[in-house]
Amino acid sequence: DLEDISVFDSGDVEMCFGDAEKALAALEERAKAIAYAGKLPLMLGGEHLVTLAPVRVLSERFPDMHIIHFDAHADLREDYLGAPLSHACVIRRCHDILGDGRIHQFGIRSGERSEFRFGTEHTDFHTVSELSERNVPVYLTVDLDVLDPSEFPGTGTPEAGGVSFTELRDALEFVCRNCRVVGADLVELAPTLDSSGISTALACKLTREVLLALS
């Protein structure tokens, strides 16, 4: 249980649907309030673009910050259907902020050819088993579609061949205990796409395990 650790739920953030920058601004305001109060923000989101908001805030507070990214998709497109602010572009936008050598991607198994070319030059791809300790500030972002859809069908863009819950839980525990995590998120749960409730139950348990590991 969580009785022995200090956790505060700051509630949902009201966002402007249809205007990505206004939505991100609302998230940035909340993330900044949490981070500059000396606390660690852990965001639970839907669309992966929400990651960009705390990354903008925390990269100012921690200029040497790195990102550890778990995902089925590279999310390195320059734009998606003409939009530069999208779940398919979020890590590319993070690279715009952080630059080369500071984004470490795990579990990637889908992307356009241009994304893999960009990643080869500017980020790095790893299997989940290739995690290592990092002594720099780290932002941890977890797109839950890194999981195999046989265990986690409730997501908008499922990709066969993913990791198991146990593999992901162990990987996240390693990161939380062996890296300087300064912020984190778990995103891309879509409960309405899994009426069984299995995906929601998995996401809740994984959130609890991350909170315990971070404590």
Side-chain angles (χ1 to χ4, degrees):
D1 57 47
L2 303 176
E3 290 184 0
D4 297 328
I5 67 174
S6 179
V7 178
F8 173 72
D9 181 359
S10 74
D12 295 341
V13 177
E14 291 255 354
M15 292 189 292
C16 175
F17 291 99
D19 189 321
E21 276 295 2
K22 283 186 178 179
L24 288 168
L27 290 168
E28 286 178 50
E29 183 179 3
R30 182 70 61 87
K32 189 170 186 177
I34 294 170
Y36 281 80
K39 305 180 189 303
L40 188 155
L42 171 63
M43 183 173 63
L44 306 178
E47 222 255 22
H48 201 170
L49 180 63
V50 297
T51 296
L52 185 58
V55 167
R56 285 173 172 174
V57 169
L58 291 168
S59 63
E60 294 179 357
R61 185 167 171 80
F62 304 98
D64 55 340
M65 188 177 77
H66 287 225
I67 290 175
I68 291 179
H69 169 219
F70 290 86
D71 205 324
H73 308 91
D75 291 352
L76 290 172
R77 301 188 193 193
E78 180 59 44
D79 65 78
Y80 180 61
L81 300 177
L85 294 176
S86 163
H87 64 91
C89 314
V90 61
I91 302 301
R92 184 66 170 264
R93 299 288 77 82
C94 291
H95 177 269
D96 292 343
I97 298 169
L98 300 182
D100 289 355
R102 290 164 64 184
I103 297 176
H104 316 283
Q105 300 182 265
F106 296 84
I108 309 300
R109 56 191 187 275
S110 178
E112 292 187 337
R113 184 177 300 180
S114 61
E115 293 180 86
F116 286 105
R117 285 175 175 164
F118 184 90
T120 298
E121 296 180 9
H122 302 289
T123 72
D124 53 62
F125 296 117
H126 301 279
T127 65
V128 171
S129 63
E130 294 174 326
L131 286 163
S132 60
E133 295 184 24
R134 299 185 186 274
N135 293 319
V136 295
V138 165
Y139 185 86
L140 170 64
T141 179
V142 183
D143 184 329
L144 291 165
D145 68 24
V146 70
L147 290 155
D148 193 84
S150 63
E151 293 194 36
F152 188 80
T155 189
T157 50
E159 292 285 347
V163 301
S164 69
F165 167 80
T166 302
E167 289 172 318
L168 183 57
R169 180 202 61 196
D170 291 349
L172 296 183
E173 286 185 349
F174 179 90
V175 172
C176 293
R177 298 185 191 282
N178 295 282
C179 301
R180 282 181 55 203
V181 177
V182 296
D185 64 58
L186 290 89
V187 299
E188 293 289 350
L189 167 67
T192 58
L193 298 181
D194 178 10
S195 59
S196 72
I198 292 173
S199 300
T200 298
L202 187 156
C204 290
K205 185 166 186 176
L206 200 60
T207 301
R208 183 189 67 185
E209 297 304 306
V210 167
L211 286 169
L212 289 168
L214 287 171
S215 69

